[in-house]
Amino acid sequence: MNFKHIGKYLIAGAIIIIYMLCIIKLGSNKYDIKNVFPFYNIDSGWTVTENGESREIESLFKASIGLVNKHDSVTITTTIPDVSEIVSPCISFKTILSTADVYLDGELIYSYGHNTEDKGLMVNKSYHYVPLSSSDSGKTISIVITGTENSAFSSFSNVYVGNISDVYNKYIQVHKIPFIIGFFLCIFALVLLVLSTYLISSSHKDYSIIFSSIISFLLGAYILGYNDVIILISDRLRLGTVLEYITLLYMPAAIIGFIITDNIGFNTVVTRFFLAVNVILPTIFLILHYTNICHICNFVSIFHLLAMIEGFASLCQFILVIIRKKKDKKKQINIENRSFIHSYSGDVLAIGLMIFIATATYEILIFNYQKYFSPTGDRFSVSVLTIGAIIFVMSLFLNFFFHNIDHYNSKALFSKLENIAYTDELTSLANRALSEKVLENLEKTNANYAIISIDLDQLKLINDNYGHTCGDRYISNFARIIDEVFINSTISARIGGDEFLIALKDADEWECSSLLSKFETALIKESEASDEFTYKASYGFAIHKSKDKNIGSHEVYMLADKRMYDMKQEHHLNYDKEGEIENA
Amino acid sequence: MLNKKNYLSIAVAAFLLLTILFAVSYSLSYKPLGITCYLDSPWTVNYNDKTYTDINFKNINDLTANGFIKKDVISLTTNLADVNVDFPCLFFTSKYSAFIVSLTNLKDGTSLDIYSYDYDRYQDSDFVGCDYHLINLPEDYENYELTITIYVNSDTEALPISMPSLSSYHNQINSYINDHIYALCIGLFAVVFGISFLFISLMFIGVSKNSKIEILTGLFCLDIGIWLLSYYGLLDFFYESRNTTFMSYITMFLILPITYLIIDTVHPTKNKLIFSAVSFINIFIPIELVMLHLNRTVYFNESRGIFFITALITFLILTSYLVTDIKTIHKTRTFKSASNRLQLYGLFCFALCGIIEIATVSLHIFSEDIILIIKNITLPTGISIYIGTVIFNYIIFSTEGLARVQQYNKLKEMAYVDVLTKLPNRAVSDYFMKRYVNSTSNYCIISIDINGLKSVNDTYGHTEGDRLIKDFANCLSENFEDVGVCTRMGGDEFLIYIDSIKEVDLKKRLINLEESYSSLDENNEKGIRHSFAYGYAFKNNLENSSPHTVYMVADQLMYDMKRKQHEQS
């Protein structure tokens, strides 16, 4: 890698960091909606009762209660602060996989989840808004949370007391960024899906865009589900709860699908095996969930384990592919770097994928740490995964963007290269490849055309006696003359060291003869003007008429070549007679 | 570009789109729990110190002949029925007027202001915008009389506030979100897409040829996203701001210059007069209107008409460009023009939706309900079509680009590879000559010429000649590929560039080459003789150590050998 590349990557990296900072800044609570009424986040002054034992705790946030399992109950009790100034006061908290009962001075005022539990369904994640009255200041409030699954939860959410608007806004504010990004990713997925129908039907079959769209949708839906956006703005609580599990479980399959279809060399048996596993297993989990045999929340640990294994295996494979590519590159000649622009699309994808896997791994580790090892509760910070997700999807989009850049650059180079590929470097006439193309075309269209074959005389002699540089000059001058005389030809090409071919569409014998005599005159003139060489050439021509459908261009050329050869024989006899060529 | 297959795919796409939209709206829907009570009557209205009783809310407009004017004070009072919901909440929207909501206790007549909107700005004679309002009521609200005092800040035909409704807080807010979910989704999408696209284009400001359009497109998406969100009052959802209306107007005004810049970049006009006129209109008029607003001379809602006329002019110009483009579509079928045309189509769809929206709101042709539906659908649809075309543009033309990259690789190969022998060609040889100019290593250049190629070509034809060359190239590769680069200069000449090699080793390899090449004589039916002449030179053996000199020496040695071979035969 040379320094130009490193510089570009550094700039790109800087811009990515600024982008991320912008997102974080947008999500910061500096711009949050201010509370209108007094607002309390009650963290201290709680009494926790577990298994009949009560204890006072310093901070609800840091309270360690261990894992709450099915049918385990935890009760937290406190006194309501001063709510006399608040209109429509409420006390609000969040529960996961649990039922909730709220008692005010011993009286049950709110209950949630018992019906669902009785039916055997999974109790949803839910936000509870328990109405209070302004005169409830100082009363004792008890919240009883009973787990409905094993490992339901291990910490408490924040408990807010305040005006209902303020509370609701508070929830929305802390989830601002996931809200915005989650919606963005879902809609982006939709757009990509619609576009993919066009792309697949067109000539270039790139199925990876479908997987890009699926990945984007799964990420978006996961972010919306995990960050409670769906349960905050709609009444589809069940969907909001299950969505985060479903999307999580199918995500590896989508990523693997993308990697396979993107043709970066990953379409191996191992990868396809993983794909199968990642589609079948989640489906089994889903069936188990909807038949209420085993709810989906229990499969999260299995999933995490599987994801880590696959992530590690993919990483190894990925590194192997990169090493192999670098080895191949070393073998190749390195002149490509000098004149052609490095294609960034593969790098972009790799970087995006790496960042995403890093953030996903981080999230998995933090989640498990918080659940099983640490006492602290829901931390409302900007989710690392959210940022990782949007960077990943942007890298997918950039992947396409780069292909576009390649296109624009290649278009400019394409025409230059076309010239190089079809031009003889020494003489700037067409070369053999182009002449074959042109002849093929003439044959296909069964046109009337003439082919003239010209061979320089004495080139070998000049090369041997005076060196290649002179020989080259001889050839160039000849080529110039040919170009000037046959200016209206369909093609004037140099097809060998001293061999030239000229094709003339719709030419007849008269035209050919006339042109060739012009050619002769030009040669004589050139020889007189030159103090180096005498220009002599042998030539022959042949005509093809449309009515001769079965005669191919090659046969025509051979005939012209034979006639040229006949003339050459004549010249040889003459040279032998003369002895040596004149040279001033 | 469009054929039967594409029509099918468009149909599939449309079907997918509708299915998914249906699924999404289902999953995000909200069914209100409990009652929503619309406070339509009876109201007691106190308008400019005249009192009217038992008025239906819908009929309040009829109280004046010419609508309400600035500095009017309208006081609306009603009783509140008990709807038995948790968190009772009042909801209505307001336009360009300040107001204060107060509750009067029916028993003791005490009054309490529970909500005020922009009253301070009204008193300062400042601009008051539009917004929606959610007002929490105390739990014993049925004991109170509700009074809304409106301070009109801008001349208007209709009452500045909409009919209030009473329901639970969750019903109100979630129904509001649900009604505007389409605009919310598209607005958020446009904002994030705009920012991302902007950052991406900044990253490639030097690399891509279309940077200007890309940056403008990013800005445009960001702008219309913010406009959409603030226009529907959805910005307050996320950010504290007393200036959402101001923001919605600024972003709306910005649409004109950005649109104009995009059109001009994509379709530059040669007519100087039109150019100056249009750029004046599109850039100075919005700036002027903003200045007037900030100066408190003419507020946005009053200068809206001028803006709309300007927008209409630009829209007509855009349409005329498109029409002329479609007419000449057969003449100029270049790649770039297809991409540009797509951009213009996208802009056109967006502008058309904008015009429909403006016409619907300003001209009062349709009934309230239809207006509401059109209002909620047109703009977001227009914006999503525009962004769709942007993405379509970049993805479509990039896949064609993929195809071209493949062609280009092929050509690249041709440029550096000799077609017949697959060895590197003269261009590579030139590269090495350049590379060796500053080299400090004791490099070696070997010049090799195949003998008798011309006579083989003349006697047996080019096919045999080609075979001769190919065979030699193979032998050459076998013996030298691991130490150096073998290039074919053309015809029967070959040059080998070796970075470093011991002379002993070199001689051995040359002998091996000779043996393996001449061994081909045995199996040759036509009796063609395989031989070559060579010469080599090391850089350090010469005084003037430029690669060209080294080459000349090697070449000369090769000719010497050739002459000797001639003399022997």
Side-chain angles (χ1 to χ4, degrees):
Chain A
M1 221 195 277
N2 51 24
F3 292 113
K4 244 204 311 187
H5 284 177
I6 294 182
K8 283 197 179 146
Y9 283 127
L10 279 178
I11 294 180
I15 292 189
I16 291 181
I17 292 180
I18 296 179
Y19 180 65
M20 279 163 59
L21 285 176
C22 276
I23 295 183
I24 295 179
K25 187 88 194 296
L26 274 183
S28 80
N29 46 20
K30 219 166 92 162
Y31 304 110
D32 276 359
I33 299 178
K34 311 269 183 307
N35 293 323
V36 180
F37 296 99
F39 185 86
Y40 306 95
N41 178 358
I42 307 182
D43 194 44
S44 60
W46 290 94
T47 310
V48 176
T49 309
E50 240 184 317
N51 303 324
E53 286 174 30
S54 299
R55 63 182 200 279
E56 293 206 2
I57 48 172
E58 270 179 33
S59 159
L60 193 66
F61 187 62
K62 296 194 190 126
S64 76
I65 51 171
L67 272 180
V68 176
N69 292 312
K70 201 162 178 170
H71 303 310
D72 283 351
S73 263
V74 184
T75 311
I76 50 176
T77 314
T78 194
T79 39
I80 298 179
D82 182 11
V83 292
S84 51
E85 306 279 302
I86 306 179
V87 179
S88 293
C90 75
I91 182 166
S92 179
F93 57 95
K94 172 181 157 187
T95 60
I96 306 176
L97 304 171
S98 320
T99 59
D101 301 291
V102 181
Y103 297 88
L104 186 64
D105 273 352
E107 206 187 306
L108 181 69
I109 57 170
Y110 179 88
S111 184
Y112 174 82
H114 296 287
N115 287 342
T116 329
E117 191 187 12
D118 293 340
K119 289 188 206 157
L121 301 167
M122 185 170 94
V123 175
N124 305 316
K125 179 163 64 161
S126 179
Y127 282 89
H128 310 282
Y129 309 93
V130 183
L132 300 171
S133 106
S134 314
S135 55
D136 285 342
S137 317
K139 294 193 185 165
T140 310
I141 192 151
S142 282
I143 305 177
V144 182
I145 310 178
T146 313
T148 57
E149 306 281 341
N150 288 331
S151 315
F153 62 95
S154 62
S155 61
F156 299 108
S157 75
N158 290 330
V159 177
Y160 298 120
V161 172
N163 165 260
I164 177 77
S165 270
D166 291 343
V167 168
Y168 187 76
N169 280 329
K170 176 82 183 169
Y171 286 134
I172 298 279
Q173 297 307 296
V174 296
H175 292 124
K176 234 184 337 205
I177 293 299
F179 195 116
I180 298 176
I181 293 184
F183 270 114
F184 169 74
L185 290 176
C186 287
I187 303 221
F188 191 61
L190 185 58
V191 173
L192 285 182
L193 191 63
V194 170
L195 291 179
S196 71
T197 53
Y198 175 83
L199 282 172
I200 292 178
S201 72
S202 71
S203 54
H204 193 84
K205 297 209 175 298
D206 195 355
Y207 291 102
S208 69
I209 192 174
I210 292 191
F211 284 100
S212 300
S213 129
I214 296 178
I215 292 176
S216 182
F217 178 75
L218 289 178
L219 281 173
Y222 174 76
I223 290 174
L224 288 179
Y226 179 76
N227 289 291
D228 308 331
V229 174
I230 300 207
I231 66 180
L232 281 172
I233 67 170
S234 79
D235 56 0
R236 305 264 171 225
L237 295 181
R238 186 172 322 261
L239 181 68
T241 314
V242 176
L243 194 64
E244 69 182 89
Y245 296 103
I246 298 180
T247 51
L248 188 66
L249 291 174
Y250 282 111
M251 229 183 295
I255 296 182
I256 294 178
F258 175 80
I259 292 177
I260 290 181
T261 48
D262 193 51
N263 295 321
I264 42 179
F266 258 101
N267 196 356
T268 61
V269 178
V270 176
T271 326
R272 275 189 262 179
F273 170 72
F274 275 146
L275 179 65
V277 165
N278 279 310
V279 172
I280 295 176
L281 261 186
T283 320
I284 296 179
F285 293 158
L286 264 186
I287 296 175
L288 289 175
H289 171 83
Y290 278 111
T291 53
N292 284 319
I293 297 174
C294 182
H295 290 141
I296 205 162
C297 46
N298 298 315
F299 296 117
V300 175
S301 303
I302 303 179
F303 166 77
H304 282 166
L305 195 61
L306 192 62
M308 300 287 269
I309 295 176
E310 285 173 0
F312 187 68
S314 313
L315 200 64
C316 294
Q317 254 196 326
F318 195 70
I319 294 178
L320 281 174
V321 167
I322 291 187
I323 293 180
R324 201 191 315 139
K325 277 201 174 162
K326 282 237 158 89
K327 266 199 201 150
D328 285 343
K329 251 196 181 164
K330 277 209 171 126
K331 275 195 195 158
Q332 280 179 16
I333 303 162
N334 283 339
I335 40 180
E336 271 107 39
N337 289 341
R338 291 173 62 98
S339 32
F340 300 106
I341 293 163
H342 180 69
S343 170
Y344 293 98
S345 53
D347 300 342
V348 163
L349 194 58
I351 295 176
L353 199 57
M354 289 291 111
I355 293 182
F356 177 70
I357 292 181
T359 53
T361 313
Y362 175 77
E363 283 283 317
I364 290 179
L365 292 173
I366 291 281
F367 173 80
N368 284 307
Y369 172 74
Q370 276 188 342
K371 183 151 191 176
Y372 295 106
F373 301 109
S374 144
T376 55
D378 261 339
R379 199 168 291 176
F380 287 134
S381 61
V382 182
S383 165
V384 169
L385 184 63
T386 312
I387 299 185
I390 194 163
I391 290 187
F392 180 56
V393 174
M394 279 300 109
S395 78
L396 290 179
F397 185 71
L398 266 180
N399 197 19
F400 287 113
F401 197 87
F402 273 118
H403 287 153
N404 180 47
I405 292 179
D406 286 341
H407 147 67
Y408 277 119
N409 289 325
S410 77
K411 194 159 171 288
L413 287 167
F414 184 87
S415 45
K416 285 192 202 147
L417 272 181
E418 217 172 6
N419 283 337
I420 296 179
Y422 289 133
T423 307
D424 175 67
E425 224 184 344
L426 175 64
T427 61
S428 299
L429 293 178
N431 67 2
R432 191 176 188 172
L434 187 55
S435 72
E436 281 175 9
K437 228 175 143 199
V438 168
L439 287 182
E440 203 182 299
N441 200 27
L442 286 171
E443 186 175 317
K444 255 195 228 164
T445 55
N446 200 32
N448 289 318
Y449 58 91
I451 297 184
I452 304 178
S453 170
I454 303 183
D455 227 56
L456 304 184
D457 289 348
Q458 314 273 317
L459 175 64
K460 197 164 156 41
L461 219 62
I462 293 179
N463 272 334
D464 290 347
N465 290 342
Y466 306 107
H468 275 257
T469 331
C470 262
D472 282 354
R473 226 185 357 262
Y474 185 65
I475 299 173
S476 311
N477 290 340
F478 246 111
R480 186 180 27 88
I481 299 170
I482 289 179
D483 200 24
E484 283 165 7
V485 173
F486 296 98
I487 198 165
N488 290 322
S489 68
T490 311
I491 183 172
S492 304
R494 177 185 177 207
I495 57 173
D498 56 357
E499 301 161 46
F500 293 82
L501 179 151
I502 295 136
L504 300 148
K505 207 160 171 220
D506 297 325
D508 57 5
E509 276 139 14
W510 182 86
E511 197 174 326
C512 288
S513 306
S514 136
L515 281 170
L516 284 168
S517 65
K518 266 201 210 143
F519 181 57
E520 276 283 14
T521 321
L523 287 183
I524 294 174
K525 214 166 131 201
E526 188 77 17
S527 306
E528 281 167 12
S530 157
D531 46 356
E532 272 189 299
F533 314 113
T534 312
Y535 292 87
K536 285 230 74 105
S538 314
Y539 47 81
F541 69 87
I543 315 274
H544 174 273
K545 300 248 186 274
S546 304
K547 61 180 170 75
D548 305 321
K549 277 189 213 152
N550 294 327
I551 300 181
S553 56
H554 192 69
E555 289 174 57
V556 181
Y557 171 70
M558 292 305 284
L559 182 56
D561 206 41
K562 182 178 176 306
R563 290 176 181 162
M564 178 275 295
Y565 198 64
D566 291 342
M567 184 184 276
K568 207 182 244 304
Q569 300 286 62
E570 269 180 48
H571 286 182
H572 266 180
L573 295 172
N574 291 343
Y575 292 146
D576 285 343
K577 281 192 201 149
E578 285 170 25
E580 267 185 331
I581 51 166
E582 299 209 66
N583 199 355
Chain B
M1 217 159 95
L2 286 178
N3 51 36
K4 275 209 185 120
K5 245 189 179 180
N6 296 126
Y7 285 126
L8 178 65
S9 70
I10 291 179
V12 172
F15 174 72
L16 269 176
L17 186 63
L18 287 172
T19 320
I20 295 178
L21 280 178
F22 182 70
V24 166
S25 63
Y26 169 81
S27 62
L28 290 175
S29 68
Y30 181 84
K31 245 192 306 190
L33 285 170
I35 319 168
T36 306
C37 174
Y38 287 94
L39 305 175
D40 53 352
S41 70
W43 287 88
T44 308
V45 180
N46 184 324
Y47 173 48
N48 284 346
D49 297 325
K50 275 203 252 176
T51 311
Y52 309 83
T53 52
D54 210 4
I55 312 280
N56 192 306
F57 193 88
K58 296 193 191 111
N59 300 331
I60 297 183
N61 286 336
D62 303 336
L63 291 177
T64 76
N66 298 322
F68 305 95
I69 54 175
K70 195 164 172 170
K71 296 301 179 195
D72 276 353
V73 178
I74 314 165
S75 194
L76 309 169
T77 314
T78 192
N79 283 331
L80 297 163
D82 188 0
V83 287
N84 199 22
V85 288
D86 289 336
F87 310 116
C89 174
L90 211 59
F91 172 85
F92 57 88
T93 58
S94 78
K95 277 189 157 83
Y96 309 113
S97 295
F99 61 86
I100 297 182
V101 179
S102 56
L103 293 175
T104 319
N105 194 320
L106 287 170
K107 289 186 196 144
D108 54 22
T110 50
S111 218
L112 182 68
D113 284 347
I114 57 170
Y115 188 90
S116 99
Y117 176 68
D118 274 3
Y119 186 65
D120 51 346
R121 287 191 174 164
Y122 167 78
Q123 287 182 312
D124 286 344
S125 301
D126 202 349
F127 175 70
V128 175
C130 318
D131 212 344
Y132 71 91
H133 308 280
L134 289 163
I135 304 164
N136 297 120
L137 299 172
E139 58 236 22
D140 54 347
Y141 56 91
E142 62 269 22
N143 298 330
Y144 290 86
E145 201 177 55
L146 173 76
T147 306
I148 308 177
T149 315
I150 307 172
Y151 302 89
V152 181
N153 201 38
S154 171
D155 298 349
T156 169
E157 276 181 23
L159 189 68
I161 67 170
S162 68
M163 176 151 41
S165 66
L166 176 64
S167 188
S168 80
Y169 176 78
H170 286 290
N171 279 352
Q172 303 282 36
I173 189 118
N174 285 342
S175 300
Y176 186 78
I177 296 174
N178 199 33
D179 287 339
H180 296 102
I181 193 80
Y182 187 33
L184 182 65
C185 289
I186 303 288
L188 289 176
F189 179 67
V191 168
V192 180
F193 183 76
I195 296 179
S196 309
F197 204 73
L198 194 61
F199 269 95
I200 292 175
S201 353
L202 285 174
M203 255 200 268
F204 303 115
I205 204 162
V207 178
S208 169
K209 286 196 178 180
N210 275 2
S211 303
K212 195 172 163 207
I213 289 197
E214 286 159 12
I215 294 181
L216 281 175
T217 308
L219 278 173
F220 188 65
C221 290
L222 180 60
D223 185 61
I224 58 181
I226 299 180
W227 176 46
L228 195 63
L229 288 176
S230 47
Y231 184 64
Y232 288 104
L234 297 167
L235 213 58
D236 325 17
F237 217 48
F238 302 103
Y239 295 106
E240 173 87 34
S241 171
R242 295 188 64 189
N243 296 317
T244 38
T245 319
F246 180 73
M247 215 179 313
S248 80
Y249 274 103
I250 292 269
T251 47
M252 181 168 79
F253 282 16
L254 266 179
I255 289 179
L256 269 188
I258 301 182
T259 311
Y260 170 68
L261 282 172
I262 294 180
I263 297 177
D264 192 56
T265 314
V266 159
H267 195 292
T269 163
K270 293 172 193 147
N271 190 329
K272 293 265 170 168
L273 185 61
I274 297 184
F275 177 77
S276 340
V278 175
S279 49
F280 171 78
I281 290 176
N282 274 302
I283 296 178
F284 288 107
I285 289 192
I287 294 181
E288 192 58 36
L289 293 179
V290 172
M291 289 294 143
L292 286 175
H293 175 93
L294 291 173
N295 233 354
R296 301 190 186 183
T297 323
V298 182
Y299 287 128
F300 282 141
N301 54 319
E302 290 151 13
S303 59
R304 244 188 336 201
I306 303 177
F307 171 76
F308 292 152
I309 295 175
T310 319
L312 199 60
I313 295 177
T314 313
F315 175 68
L316 289 171
I317 293 177
L318 175 61
T319 319
S320 72
Y321 280 162
L322 274 179
V323 169
T324 52
D325 250 350
I326 293 177
K327 278 194 186 155
T328 62
I329 197 170
H330 294 294
K331 289 184 194 164
T332 49
R333 252 190 179 266
T334 64
F335 214 71
K336 192 148 195 238
S337 72
S339 165
N340 291 343
R341 211 177 297 131
L342 195 57
Q343 304 242 26
L344 288 183
Y345 285 158
L347 266 182
F348 176 78
C349 290
F350 166 73
L352 187 62
C353 289
I355 300 282
I356 294 178
E357 166 83 14
I358 294 170
T360 322
V361 168
S362 319
L363 297 178
H364 301 295
I365 313 176
F366 307 105
S367 74
E368 277 285 327
D369 296 327
I370 299 187
I371 287 186
L372 216 61
I373 296 177
I374 294 183
K375 223 172 110 89
N376 274 335
I377 295 184
T378 1
L379 265 183
T381 310
I383 291 180
S384 43
I385 292 179
Y386 174 71
I387 298 186
T389 59
V390 168
I391 299 181
F392 190 75
N393 190 19
Y394 282 92
I395 291 186
I396 294 299
F397 292 107
S398 76
T399 56
E400 304 237 7
L402 263 177
R404 286 189 178 235
V405 164
Q406 288 169 354
Q407 291 173 32
Y408 151 92
N409 282 333
K410 189 88 214 295
L411 277 181
K412 201 166 81 171
E413 206 185 272
M414 287 168 73
Y416 287 120
V417 168
D418 175 65
V419 178
L420 179 66
T421 60
K422 302 282 184 274
L423 287 179
N425 64 7
R426 187 169 186 161
V428 178
S429 175
D430 291 344
Y431 163 77
F432 272 94
M433 290 296 254
K434 280 202 207 121
R435 196 178 106 174
Y436 279 160
V437 169
N438 293 323
S439 169
T440 51
S441 64
N442 186 20
Y443 58 83
C444 168
I445 299 183
I446 311 169
S447 171
I448 303 187
D449 229 54
I450 302 179
N451 292 336
L453 178 65
K454 195 148 173 39
S455 60
V456 168
N457 271 336
D458 291 344
T459 320
Y460 301 104
H462 277 273
T463 338
E464 277 304 310
D466 286 353
R467 194 199 52 79
L468 197 73
I469 299 172
K470 262 204 279 220
D471 287 343
F472 179 73
N474 288 339
C475 295
L476 194 63
S477 295
E478 276 166 20
N479 285 294
F480 283 94
E481 194 153 75
D482 53 340
V483 289
V485 179
C486 310
T487 69
R488 180 183 176 204
M489 296 294 280
D492 53 2
E493 298 167 54
F494 292 79
L495 279 181
I496 309 175
Y497 295 87
I498 306 180
D499 279 344
S500 88
I501 189 171
K502 294 210 179 83
E503 188 160 358
V504 181
D505 188 21
L506 178 60
K507 283 195 181 149
K508 224 194 310 174
R509 284 171 190 265
L510 285 167
I511 292 175
N512 280 342
L513 180 63
E514 222 168 346
E515 281 173 5
S516 60
Y517 189 52
S518 47
S519 71
L520 294 173
D521 284 349
E522 294 166 5
N523 296 328
N524 193 288
E525 309 152 337
K526 299 193 173 81
I528 296 175
R529 280 211 51 228
H530 298 75
S531 70
F532 59 90
Y534 64 86
Y536 62 83
F538 284 85
K539 167 183 165 246
N540 287 348
N541 293 350
L542 304 171
E543 287 167 10
N544 180 6
S545 51
S546 82
H548 187 69
T549 326
V550 178
Y551 163 69
M552 293 297 287
V553 170
D555 209 37
Q556 193 53 49
L557 288 169
M558 184 272 293
Y559 272 117
D560 292 343
M561 181 181 284
K562 211 182 242 292
R563 215 159 283 158
K564 275 195 212 124
Q565 287 170 340
H566 265 220
E567 286 161 15
Q568 285 169 2
S569 67

